[in-house]
Amino acid sequence: MSEEKSAVPAWEQRFRAARVSLPDWAEDAPERALYVSNASGTYEVYAWDRATDVHRRATDRPNGTTDAELSPDGEWIWWFDDNDGDEYGIWRRQPFAGRPEGAAGPDEEAVPGLAPSYEAGLALGRDGTVVVGRSTDEDGTTLHLRRPGAAEAVEIYRHAEYGGVGDLSHDGTLLAIDHTEHGDAMHGAIRVVRLPEDGAALATVAELDEVTGHDHPRGVACLGFAPVDGDTRLLVAHQRTGRWEPMIWDVATGAETALALRDEQGRELPGDLSAQWRPDARTLLIEHEYEARSELFSYSLDDGVLTRLDTPRGTVGGATPRPDGTVEFLWSSAAEPSAVRSTAGTVVLRAPGAVPPGSVPVEDVWVDGPGGRVHSLVQRPAGDGPFPTVFEIHGGPTHHDSDSFAAGPAAWLDHGFAVVRVNYRGSTGYGQAWTDALRERIGLIELEDIAAVRGWAVASGLADPDRLVLSGGSWGGYLTLLGLGVQPELWSLGVAAVPVADYLTAYDDEMEALKAIDRTLFGGTPEEVPERWTASSPLTYVERVAAPVYISAGVNDPRCPIRQIENYVERLKQLGKPHEVYRYDAGHGSLVVDERIKQLRLEIDFVRRYLDGAPVGENHADTRK
């Protein structure tokens, strides 16, 4: 390593190091692939011709691009064009090989005539059929069909509740629609329709709804049609057993096939299970997720044999079965950076440049909480505790922290902080009951679990009770602000990124898909159950905040909009509470590496100044907006 590179701190090297997503390949041209990388300093879409090993950056926008898909023939790259991270835009496309030399102008509008919207799925058929899902505040969910040769798309579905494109059958005749027409946005249903020819009506083939008329709602979700023409089998995820697991549903006959997913010793696999078809349509690739880690299996439909694939202990961040029988997967652990690996034992794709420095392995900690045992991932810096400790709270809320590589926690460890990540009630991966516990007492339930883990951290000698930072982004940012007001005696500082701060105003301004989720979580709108919304809003408790608070916000954020954050900040000002705010020109986070580094540097600076009285970071006064 050169002297210039070694002068860059390890935490910054991790952010600057190029990384890649799992490549997605064209169904009928498997040597053509797409992936997302930050190699240019901004996360953009790259085309990869695997036959020649030629890589080409396909998009180049100031605030980055991540949503893209290849047409089945591999000829076209579709990508979603929004405005500075606001997630509101249209689909564009370009040839896989790029525009001809000398061609000018932007990529062409992929489906002319469709106004900008939030994205609600995309299906590209092998015959040129296209189904585009759109979501807007005015129209709810609409789906639009364009047949090959048609001048424009026609609307085939509309509903006020959120839904989207599930999958298109291999022969392009059937469409699976994921929807929440029943009003429960946490438990989806599936409708399969036969796509109409010109002038024909949309015909429903089958329905799978385990919410309507059920005392205990269970969700179902589309995983994909079998990759064979005329095959009407649909792979579905369901919660009938109190967790996510797959089954096969023949939408033509209604027959359902349960999958006996047991390991080589005949034991049922605990945790959540998902699946996807392998190209032969006779075997499935199974992803098993349990206690913040994941592994892969192959399942034979012919004989019901489940075979574990060679995946190291850690987290699989996505996997794809290839036509040659191998499986490629993105893997990492808290200690080891990610790479795209193959079950053939090779590294398939690694980003150019230096591999980022590793970090500290996680320890698993289980703490008894008011709703059951709470699983947390703990990382300790060098030396003896008690340590200043950052409780890094995950977003979602239906998500979970895992044993995977993350530059943010690694940076805190480099600065001498312990890091604790809590998979509170509402987190996925611990069964449906744990996730569904997040109802009505929103935010307050999660904070009870976080407080229980905090008690363990102090009692065990890990955490210094006078130097405890509550931190998080998105839902984690929301829990940070709520925790500072509800539990003021527990926390020394708060660092909240893109948070919900004033829940009632947030509901007015946020995208429709999140409004639907919030209505489900609270059991109604702010007008219908105002007491629940008020009890769960950080603004309600702002007078009780005792710790200094740092807030960062994207001015174009459709998920945690800026107006409700400004309301909270204005109240902090009126009350004379110590706080700092950083606003940046993007949406729900940034895809620009320099911006991410800047934000973390400001957070570290804020925490060090208030905890130690020793500022760190560069150009502190000049970088704050």
Side-chain angles (χ1 to χ4, degrees):
M1 182 175 292
S2 68
E3 292 185 5
E4 181 181 356
K5 287 184 178 179
S6 63
V8 177
W11 73 265
E12 188 172 330
Q13 290 178 42
R14 295 190 194 96
F15 277 92
R16 293 201 180 281
R19 62 196 68 198
V20 294
S21 68
L22 179 73
D24 185 23
W25 49 275
E27 187 175 12
D28 295 332
E31 295 309 307
R32 292 189 168 190
L34 286 184
Y35 61 89
V36 173
S37 176
N38 65 336
S40 68
T42 301
Y43 284 86
E44 296 287 1
V45 178
Y46 285 74
W48 178 24
D49 188 329
R50 300 177 65 137
T52 60
D53 199 28
V54 173
H55 301 251
R56 179 183 68 84
R57 187 170 65 187
T59 57
D60 185 7
R61 302 194 302 153
N63 285 298
T65 315
T66 58
D67 292 339
E69 190 165 331
L70 265 177
S71 60
D73 60 8
E75 293 296 321
W76 292 95
I77 297 170
W78 289 57
W79 60 275
F80 193 72
D81 182 10
D82 67 351
N83 181 36
D84 292 335
D86 66 359
E87 302 182 45
Y88 200 82
I90 63 171
W91 287 98
R92 296 190 181 277
R93 70 174 194 166
Q94 64 174 260
F96 180 84
R99 291 187 294 272
E101 187 174 350
D107 289 350
E108 66 183 55
E109 193 172 343
V111 186
L114 293 185
S117 69
Y118 297 113
E119 187 261 325
L122 174 70
L124 303 178
R126 296 166 69 241
D127 65 350
T129 295
V130 175
V131 182
V132 178
R134 301 172 64 253
S135 174
T136 66
D137 293 343
E138 300 77 20
D139 299 327
T141 300
T142 59
L143 302 185
H144 303 260
L145 169 68
R146 190 184 70 181
R147 287 294 195 183
E152 59 184 26
V154 296
E155 183 180 306
I156 59 171
Y157 175 88
R158 174 183 290 258
H159 200 278
E161 295 292 346
Y162 184 70
V165 176
D167 192 31
L168 193 62
S169 64
H170 199 254
D171 57 13
T173 61
L174 301 175
L175 174 70
I177 302 171
D178 286 314
H179 70 84
T180 58
E181 293 177 9
H182 44 55
D184 184 341
M186 290 186 69
H187 302 100
I190 302 172
R191 177 175 301 130
V192 177
V193 299
R194 188 171 301 280
L195 291 180
E197 299 299 333
D198 292 342
L202 194 69
T204 297
V205 174
E207 298 263 9
L208 192 59
D209 178 353
E210 303 197 345
V211 175
T212 305
H214 291 256
D215 293 333
H216 302 287
R218 306 291 194 190
V220 293
C222 172
L223 298 178
F225 279 103
V228 177
D229 276 354
D231 197 326
T232 55
R233 292 177 299 165
L234 182 66
L235 196 56
V236 169
H238 67 87
Q239 293 180 309
R240 292 174 178 174
T241 57
R243 61 168 184 171
W244 284 110
E245 60 182 76
M247 73 173 184
I248 294 175
W249 177 36
D250 189 326
V251 302
T253 67
E256 297 177 0
T257 304
L259 306 179
L261 301 176
R262 298 180 179 274
D263 65 17
E264 293 168 347
Q265 284 74 44
R267 298 170 300 190
E268 185 178 80
L269 298 175
D272 286 340
L273 296 157
S274 185
Q276 57 183 296
W277 295 98
R278 299 191 74 157
D280 61 8
R282 298 174 60 183
T283 52
L284 301 177
L285 176 64
I286 305 293
E287 182 173 340
H288 174 223
E289 191 172 83
Y290 182 56
E291 295 185 350
R293 294 172 180 86
S294 50
E295 58 185 342
L296 298 175
F297 293 82
S298 185
Y299 180 76
S300 169
L301 295 174
D302 292 336
D303 56 19
V305 173
L306 184 71
T307 305
R308 189 183 187 279
L309 303 180
D310 186 14
T311 44
R313 181 174 170 82
T315 296
V316 175
T320 180
R322 294 282 293 169
D324 64 1
T326 62
V327 174
E328 295 175 356
F329 59 98
L330 185 68
W331 178 91
S332 72
S333 70
E336 189 173 344
S338 64
V340 179
R341 302 186 178 198
S342 169
T343 51
T346 60
V347 173
V348 176
L349 181 64
R350 194 187 294 277
V355 175
S359 189
V360 178
V362 295
E363 305 170 28
D364 295 271
V365 172
W366 292 86
V367 176
D368 289 332
R373 297 178 71 222
V374 184
H375 185 206
S376 296
L377 302 176
V378 175
Q379 291 170 285
R380 302 171 186 262
D384 298 322
F387 303 102
T389 300
V390 174
F391 274 67
E392 185 73 24
I393 308 304
H394 73 73
T398 51
H399 183 56
H400 68 271
D401 274 315
S402 63
D403 181 6
S404 57
F405 195 75
W412 289 112
L413 287 158
D414 287 356
H415 285 82
F417 291 78
V419 176
V420 178
R421 290 177 284 172
V422 182
N423 283 331
Y424 50 75
R425 277 172 289 173
S427 300
T428 54
Y430 299 88
Q432 183 186 355
W434 191 256
T435 303
D436 284 1
L438 185 66
R439 291 291 186 115
E440 299 183 3
R441 294 182 61 247
I442 307 305
L444 305 174
I445 287 173
E446 302 96 294
L447 289 176
E448 291 173 353
D449 293 343
I450 293 168
V453 178
R454 179 204 179 275
W456 164 85
V458 172
S460 69
L462 172 75
D464 181 343
D466 296 323
R467 294 188 294 171
L468 284 173
V469 182
L470 187 59
S471 176
S474 191
W475 196 265
Y478 158 63
L479 292 177
T480 294
L481 296 185
L482 188 65
L484 294 179
V486 173
Q487 304 165 331
E489 71 284 357
L490 299 187
W491 309 106
S492 309
L493 291 176
V495 177
V498 291
V500 175
D502 168 8
Y503 221 136
L504 280 77
T505 301
Y507 179 80
D508 287 340
D509 294 353
E510 69 190 5
M511 59 201 300
E512 177 55 36
L514 293 184
K515 288 182 180 180
I517 292 174
D518 282 340
R519 290 192 297 270
T520 298
L521 291 174
F522 285 103
T525 67
E527 292 74 25
E528 293 167 339
V529 286
E531 70 285 353
R532 294 176 187 169
W533 289 77
T534 300
S536 293
S537 177
L539 188 61
T540 300
Y541 308 95
V542 67
E543 288 85 358
R544 299 180 59 193
V545 171
V549 57
Y550 178 89
I551 299 173
S552 61
V555 297
N556 300 316
D557 191 344
R559 298 173 182 266
C560 299
I562 191 67
R563 183 168 71 104
Q564 52 94 27
I565 293 174
E566 299 292 10
N567 291 348
Y568 186 89
V569 171
E570 180 59 31
R571 191 71 184 116
L572 287 174
K573 288 181 181 178
Q574 293 171 356
L575 294 168
K577 305 282 186 179
H579 67 280
E580 296 179 13
V581 184
Y582 174 68
R583 304 169 183 87
Y584 56 93
D585 294 326
H588 199 60
S590 176
L591 299 176
V592 180
V593 172
D594 282 341
E595 177 61 34
R596 290 187 174 189
I597 291 171
K598 176 181 178 181
Q599 290 178 23
L600 187 55
R601 181 177 287 121
L602 290 173
E603 292 176 3
I604 293 171
D605 181 13
F606 173 83
V607 170
R608 291 291 296 270
R609 278 187 289 114
Y610 276 96
L611 288 189
D612 299 336
V616 298
E618 301 168 5
N619 301 322
H620 166 71
D622 297 333
T623 55
R624 198 175 308 277
K625 289 187 179 179

